Amino acid sequence: MSHTPKLLDISDGKVSLNRDFVEFNDTTNWSPERKVEVFWHMIEECIYNNSGWTEERINKSLQAFTNAYELVKYKFQNIERNTGGRYFDHLVRVMESVIKNTKEPSIKKTLIAICHDLIEDTDIDFYTLKSILGTHVALGTLLISKEPIHVFLNSED
């Protein structure tokens, strides 16, 4: 059985990029993994510079972002928008807009932006999203969902 290399190497509590995963110099055909790196640099520049966060906290955020990106990519990879184009590209554009145009961007806002259609358009429910990305992101995603919040609040769960 062959081992597929991952973009991120997470060992000893540190997150590092596996430069052997993809050809990083070929910008004409970037893989989703390369895009994760590009988006992460954008997040670092807009959110973490001068934040005073510890390296451990930033690394946890990188892992959360990677998990969200991979989940959204998986759930929306074969879905086309009614207006044309891949649905996943819409989610990425919303995320990029939040990173670049929000007065006070944050990793939570970024995660909510890329996940904003998960609960209403996939089989991912609030509790699953909460277990993957935490309460704040799951609640933020639920609050901007088309599903009325009272349905969730009145549920037995």
Side-chain angles (χ1 to χ4, degrees):
M1 185 163 102
S2 67
H3 174 69
T4 304
K6 290 279 198 185
L7 167 71
L8 299 175
D9 176 29
I10 303 170
S11 57
D12 301 325
K14 298 199 177 221
V15 179
S16 61
L17 292 168
N18 177 359
R19 297 279 178 191
D20 296 329
F21 187 78
V22 66
E23 178 54 55
F24 281 83
N25 297 320
D26 180 10
T27 59
T28 59
N29 193 21
W30 279 358
S31 68
E33 292 76 17
R34 173 64 172 124
K35 289 179 183 176
V36 167
E37 181 190 26
V38 170
F39 294 137
W40 181 249
H41 287 298
M42 183 188 313
I43 291 168
E44 281 184 314
E45 182 180 308
C46 296
I47 298 174
Y48 295 120
N49 284 349
N50 305 315
S51 70
W53 280 23
T54 64
E55 187 175 335
E56 177 184 357
R57 189 169 177 191
I58 291 172
N59 286 341
K60 284 182 181 180
S61 294
L62 171 59
Q63 186 58 56
F65 172 72
T66 303
N67 290 346
Y69 186 91
E70 288 179 357
L71 176 63
V72 170
K73 175 76 173 156
Y74 173 73
K75 288 296 184 179
F76 289 97
Q77 66 186 342
N78 296 322
I79 298 175
E80 296 287 321
R81 293 190 76 191
N82 293 339
T83 57
R86 294 184 323 154
Y87 203 94
F88 177 72
D89 294 336
H90 155 72
L91 299 169
V92 168
R93 281 192 301 277
V94 170
M95 178 198 67
E96 285 180 291
S97 180
V98 165
I99 294 168
K100 292 178 182 177
N101 301 316
T102 302
K103 187 174 182 178
E104 295 179 20
S106 71
I107 191 64
K108 288 177 185 170
K109 290 175 187 175
T110 302
L111 295 175
I112 291 167
I114 197 163
C115 294
H116 76 267
D117 284 333
L118 269 175
I119 292 175
E120 68 187 59
D121 292 335
T122 73
D123 60 351
I124 300 291
D125 63 8
F126 169 81
Y127 297 102
T128 303
L129 192 58
K130 178 183 170 193
S131 71
I132 297 169
L133 297 173
T135 303
H136 288 105
V137 173
L139 271 175
T141 304
L142 181 64
L143 287 172
I144 61 173
S145 171
K146 291 176 190 160
E147 282 294 316
I149 190 78
H150 67 82
V151 171
F152 167 74
L153 293 174
N154 292 331
S155 70
E156 291 184 27
D157 295 330

